[in-house]
Amino acid sequence: MAIKLQQSEQKDLVGSIQRYFKENMEEPIGDLQAGMLLDFCLRVIGPGIYNQAIADAQAHMEAKVSDLAIECYEETGDYWKKK
């Protein structure tokens, strides 16, 4: 599954890459190069991050579902005990 970004988000990230290069590298980086670096990161690094996020979300949801039996449990047959 390819990671797709909104155009505005992609533009912001390209700008961020350019700023990083300007502040931390000897040479600045242009729009094309920054876009290519972003694309590379999305294709190579992105899937691992995405998969970990899905695993984290799944673990969180499984924990919530397992709590469901405790949180929503109601005793049965206690009508006569209350009278």
Side-chain angles (χ1 to χ4, degrees), residues 38-78:
L38 176 59
D39 186 55
F40 172 79
C41 290
L42 289 174
R43 290 175 185 248
V44 176
I45 301 168
I49 295 168
Y50 178 84
N51 291 341
Q52 184 61 54
I54 294 297
D56 291 347
Q58 184 176 6
H60 178 76
M61 292 302 294
E62 287 173 357
K64 292 293 182 187
V65 168
S66 69
D67 288 346
L68 199 58
I70 297 167
E71 294 292 325
C72 299
Y73 183 78
E74 286 291 328
E75 286 289 332
T76 58
D78 64 347

Side-chain angles (χ1 to χ4, degrees), residues 3-17:
I3 298 173
K4 303 285 185 193
L5 299 175
Q6 297 291 328
Q7 189 173 5
S8 61
E9 187 176 14
Q10 185 168 349
K11 183 179 176 184
D12 290 344
L13 290 172
V14 165
S16 182
I17 291 169

Side-chain angles (χ1 to χ4, degrees), residues 19-51:
R19 181 177 177 185
Y20 178 84
F21 269 74
K22 182 179 179 182
E23 293 180 7
N24 296 290
M25 303 295 180
E26 293 179 15
E27 295 288 325
I29 188 171
D31 288 344
L32 179 62
Q33 294 89 352
M36 291 173 67
L37 179 58
L38 176 59
D39 186 55
F40 172 79
C41 290
L42 289 174
R43 290 175 185 248
V44 176
I45 301 168
I49 295 168
Y50 178 84
N51 291 341

